[in-house]
Amino acid sequence: MTDLTELSQGDLFAPPDPVVTCRTLEELHGLIRDCTKCEEVAEYRSQAVPGVGPADARVVFIGEAPGRWEDQKGEPFVGDAGAYLTELLEKIGLARSEVFITNVIKCRPPENRNPKTPEMENCLPYLERQLALIKPDLVVLLGRVALERFFPREKITEAAAVPRKKVVGDREITFLPMLHPAFGIRRQDLKPEIEKQFWTIREVLDQL
Ligand code: URA
C-alpha cells in the first residue's frame, strides 16, 4: 500500500494523465494528433499518424515512423513498403483491414532521419495505451527500431520470426519480430526470407 506520508502535495493533487485515462482509441488518437511534445518533429510534420485498423484487432503491426506519404495521408504504411506489407498480409490470409497498423513514433522525423531516443520515449505512452485498449493476441514488430523499443538487447537478425512474451501494462503479450518490409523493397533477394518470416505470423495465430 502507498505510504501517503511519502507523497508530496503535488503528487496528491496532480491531474490524471489523459493518455492513461482515455477510454477509446478515437480519444487517444485525438491526443496524438494534438501532441507537440517533440518540438522539432511537431513543427516539421504535416500531421501526426496515430494508426489505422479495428479497435479490437487480433494482430497489431508496429513499424518505425511515418515517411513522406504517410505524413501526407495521415495513415501508416501507404508508400512502397506499405504496398509490400499489404501483399505479404494477403499471402498469409490476412486482410489489411482486419489488422491494426501503427509506428513507434507517430510523426515523420525531418528528412526521414532516424527517430531520436527522447522522441521514442515521448511517444511510448501512446503506443502502450494503444496496446492496452486494443488487447491484441499478437504484436508484430517490423524492424530493428520496433524490436528495440520492447527488447532493447536483441538483434533483429537473430530475433526475427522467434515469438516471445512480455508483460506490457497489466497484460502479457506475444510479440513476433520480423525484418522490416522496406528491406524487401531495397533488397529483392531478401523477399523469400521476409515471406518465410511472415508465415510464422499465421503459425503463431493458429496456435494462440
Ligand atoms: N511507413 C510507415 O508507416 N512505417 C515504416 O516503418 C515504414 C514506412
Side-chain angles (χ1 to χ4, degrees), residues 54 57-62 98-102 127 130-131 134-142 174 176:
R58 210 179 155 209
V59 193
V60 169
F61 287 79
I62 304 177
E98 69 180 296
V99 303
F100 190 88
I101 306 174
T102 188
L127 186 55
Q130 284 176 319
L131 296 181
I134 298 169
K135 299 187 176 61
D137 287 339
L138 177 64
V139 174
V140 181
L141 301 170
L142 297 171
T174 301
L176 189 56

Side-chain angles (χ1 to χ4, degrees), residues 4 10 32 34 56 61 65 72 75 92-93 111 148 159 170:
L4 290 181
I32 295 172
D34 290 343
D56 59 352
F61 287 79
Q72 283 182 11
E75 189 177 317
I92 60 163
E111 308 303 331
E148 285 177 359
D170 59 359

Side-chain angles (χ1 to χ4, degrees), residues 149-164:
R149 250 328 69 198
F150 294 93
F151 301 94
R153 275 175 287 280
E154 303 218 25
K155 288 201 171 9
I156 190 65
T157 41
E158 288 158 20
V162 182
R164 76 266 335 276

Side-chain angles (χ1 to χ4, degrees), residues 1 29 44 54 84 123 136 139-140 143 155 177 182 201 208:
M1 207 188 354
H29 290 183
Y44 179 80
Y84 184 40
C123 240
V139 174
V140 181
K155 288 201 171 9
I201 299 176
L208 285 173

Side-chain angles (χ1 to χ4, degrees), residues 53-188:
D56 59 352
R58 210 179 155 209
V59 193
V60 169
F61 287 79
I62 304 177
E64 180 176 326
R68 182 169 167 212
W69 303 114
E70 289 79 15
D71 175 74
Q72 283 182 11
K73 204 164 171 211
E75 189 177 317
F77 283 93
V78 290
D80 288 347
Y84 184 40
L85 173 63
T86 307
E87 192 186 312
L88 287 163
L89 289 172
E90 282 166 5
K91 276 188 203 274
I92 60 163
L94 286 174
R96 187 178 162 113
S97 58
E98 69 180 296
V99 303
F100 190 88
I101 306 174
T102 188
N103 284 300
V104 168
I105 79 159
K106 314 300 191 200
C107 299
R108 180 190 182 199
E111 308 303 331
N112 289 356
R113 65 157 166 72
N114 288 335
K116 295 179 181 168
T117 303
E119 293 163 353
M120 294 192 278
E121 282 167 0
N122 280 343
C123 240
L124 187 61
Y126 296 129
L127 186 55
E128 288 182 343
R129 191 69 192 141
Q130 284 176 319
L131 296 181
L133 290 168
I134 298 169
K135 299 187 176 61
D137 287 339
L138 177 64
V139 174
V140 181
L141 301 170
L142 297 171
R144 177 186 61 83
V145 171
L147 173 70
E148 285 177 359
R149 250 328 69 198
F150 294 93
F151 301 94
R153 275 175 287 280
E154 303 218 25
K155 288 201 171 9
I156 190 65
T157 41
E158 288 158 20
V162 182
R164 76 266 335 276
K165 289 178 193 286
K166 181 176 179 162
V167 175
V168 178
D170 59 359
R171 283 184 79 240
E172 188 180 65
I173 299 180
T174 301
F175 288 89
L176 189 56
M178 300 267 132
L179 285 182
H180 195 291
F183 265 120
I185 307 291
R186 284 195 297 257
R187 293 254 325 256
Q188 295 286 321

